[in-house]
Amino acid sequence: MTTYTALPLPATAHKELCATDDAGRPAAPFTAREDGVPLDAVGSPLRCCLRDVRAGERVALVSYAPLRRWADATGAQPGAYDEQGPVFVHAEPCGGPDAAAGRYPAVRAGALRVLRRYNARGEIVGGRLLEVPGDAPAAFDAALGEAFADPEVALVHVRAVEYGCFHFEVRRPRP
């Protein structure tokens, strides 16, 4: 059985988003509070370190374009498949996931996720809906195995169905 790696935002992207997001807006950091003021963030997934926001942390809600950034690094041309959406990040670089982070973040049972498959040109070549079961790692391993069984699939983006938020990326494992 292959174990896949959920990738957080690259450190360079995180640093850039802390200044200006992918929609061209300046970041507006705030302190996450239990009462949801100024924004209900506690418990939301952080895409920089793949864990949930904790009360008292400085965070920002920014617009992120993961496929665009991947395409910039690889020379792909996603065209109309490029999209951006809201993600929470720490307001300052945090060092990424720690050893306590799970293999697949933000995977509470019952959550609906879509796994969008992209080829090396950055075009969508399929997708799959996944209702996260109790054994989330096994379900993600199976869904990602199904995706990468197609030799055209270069990477998979996992997004929330409800809001379309990007959760994490998985790239084709190297042989």
Side-chain angles (χ1 to χ4, degrees):
M1 177 164 102
T2 302
T3 299
Y4 300 96
T5 302
L7 301 173
L9 294 119
T12 301
H14 182 200
K15 183 177 180 182
E16 292 169 0
L17 293 169
C18 287
T20 304
D21 73 11
D22 286 346
R25 291 183 293 267
F30 62 94
T31 300
R33 294 175 22 176
E34 292 286 353
D35 63 6
V37 175
L39 189 60
D40 191 16
V42 173
S44 294
L46 288 157
R47 289 8 178 266
C48 50
C49 59
L50 302 180
R51 67 164 176 78
D52 292 346
V53 174
R54 298 175 185 142
E57 290 186 297
R58 295 284 294 161
V59 298
L61 181 61
V62 298
S63 184
Y64 178 52
L67 189 63
R68 180 184 317 158
R69 286 176 175 272
W70 172 82
D72 287 347
T74 64
Q77 298 291 321
Y81 296 106
D82 178 34
E83 60 184 315
Q84 61 192 35
V87 297
F88 283 101
V89 296
H90 278 114
E92 299 201 6
C94 63
D98 59 29
R103 256 194 350 190
Y104 302 116
V107 291
R108 65 179 170 26
L112 297 175
R113 300 290 179 257
V114 63
L115 286 77
R116 290 192 188 147
R117 304 168 185 176
Y118 296 91
N119 64 21
R121 294 179 303 282
E123 302 162 336
I124 292 177
V125 292
R128 181 182 194 285
L129 177 65
L130 176 67
E131 182 173 351
V132 180
D135 188 356
F140 273 97
D141 282 345
L144 290 163
E146 175 187 296
F148 290 118
D150 178 346
E152 192 175 4
V153 175
L155 74 153
V156 175
H157 283 177
V158 176
R159 293 180 174 269
V161 170
E162 301 89 341
Y163 299 103
C165 298
F166 172 83
H167 279 267
F168 59 89
E169 174 180 290
V170 177
R171 295 186 182 178
R172 174 174 288 285
R174 294 183 183 197

